[in-house]
Amino acid sequence: MRQAWRWYGPDAGIPLDTIRQAGATDVVSALHHVPIGEAWTAADVAARKNLIETAPAGRSPLTWSVVESIPVADAIKRRGAEARQEIENWIASMTAVAENGIRIICYNFMPVVDWTRTDLDHVTPTGSTAMRFDQDRFAAFDLHILQRPNADKDYSDTDRQRARTKFEAMSQDDIDDLIRNIASALPGSTTEPMTIPEFRDHLEAYAAINANVFRRNLIGFLKAVTPVAEALEVKLTLHPDDPPRPLFGLPRIASNAADYAALFDAVPSPSNGMCLCTGSLGVSTENDLPEMARRFAPRIHFAHLRSTKREEDSRSFHEAAHLEGDVDMVAVVRELYTENRKRSAGETIIFRPDHGQRMLGDLQEKGSPGYPAVGRLRGLAELRGIIAALEAGM
Ligand code: DNO
């Protein structure tokens, strides 16, 4: 399995040598500076590729093998008036990527908000910090800060009481922090940062879109893009919802095995693939990750490997160390490794250590939340250990 590292580009403070020293050979990157919905050009992709792949004398080569992500514009998700044009633009971006020899593209289809956390630096018992989703803080945001109409219907009396207590104990700084974490969009997010009034407008635009409609919109998108992807020999990998359940009353439709099965049935094209993100899917008790890895093995071209730990209330969770938490990582890697051995060299599954806790030198850096150098290096090292053991026949 090819080992990769997400790189946010030259200004993000992590030099390419970090990737080499971590032992990865492959890079996952995107043109984060291009506004969502604007078509990428082959020249722009080539410039980024040059930056990644032109190794200084004496350094080992790196390959940009996965694009994560080409964002899917909101108009496509809602099938709004601009949807056709936006799909054309998305296809143009995919073509620019393929012209540069990159054959795996990750994307997601989450409405209004992308991956969501309430706390970015929750202190763990080792002194490292982890990202966390605290259900009560989330509900406090929804009910008291966003003040979403009818939000109270989504919570029990006890939930609402707990959210109120949480909210009343918050300082203005806490509130600002929570707004930044949820509405301002985390790094790599493929949705636009929003003010609270914009957030409400966005939700309003989804008022008539339930899970069935939303799934139909995704299938419509896939039917439009997969024939071109096939011709370009590109694999599209849908990233799961994070967390894998509806938020803010919005539908989410890539949260479990049944969701993915429905998409593969509706659009059987071999270009319709999956990014197995164990951290996102692992939050739900209904997802058996080794079983999902086995069931969808031929569709998996890219994997995000990390673990989460559900907390007492079962809806809160934090990002655990890669071999801790609720995910049976050894069993998942074994499934991927087994699938990978059946494939030809050009078809290998690529994985990256997803996220990492902030530790050691990370704690002095102001890097991208979720993407510290040392925490990810620890994650990759542990995953490499599993692979080495499998390779040795253990
Ligand atoms: C968070 C990531 C997301 C993910 C996109 C995929 O760390 O998993 O940013 O890359 O949602 O489109």
Side-chain angles (χ1 to χ4, degrees), residues 138-209:
F138 178 80
F141 175 84
D142 195 6
L143 293 162
H144 301 292
I145 300 173
L146 180 61
Q147 298 178 355
R148 176 169 63 92
N150 297 323
D152 51 341
K153 291 205 191 92
D154 291 351
Y155 300 93
S156 69
D157 289 350
T158 327
D159 289 344
R160 285 201 298 271
Q161 189 49 52
R162 288 168 60 127
R164 168 164 294 281
T165 311
K166 208 40 143 248
F167 179 67
E168 281 167 359
M170 279 185 199
S171 65
Q172 190 56 46
D173 279 357
D174 283 340
I175 294 175
D176 293 344
D177 197 45
L178 193 55
I179 295 176
R180 223 175 2 255
N181 295 348
I182 298 182
S184 316
L186 290 166
S189 290
T190 53
T191 47
E192 305 278 5
M194 293 167 285
T195 61
I196 295 296
E198 286 167 345
F199 203 134
R200 291 193 194 113
D201 289 348
H202 259 89
L203 290 176
E204 186 51 38
Y206 276 84
I209 303 181

Side-chain angles (χ1 to χ4, degrees), residues 6 68-69 106-108 110 114-115 187-188 239 304 355 371:
R6 190 177 200 176
E68 178 182 357
S69 305
C106 177
Y107 69 102
N108 75 65
M110 289 178 252
D114 193 310
W115 63 302
H239 186 281
H304 286 180
H355 302 182
Y371 290 88

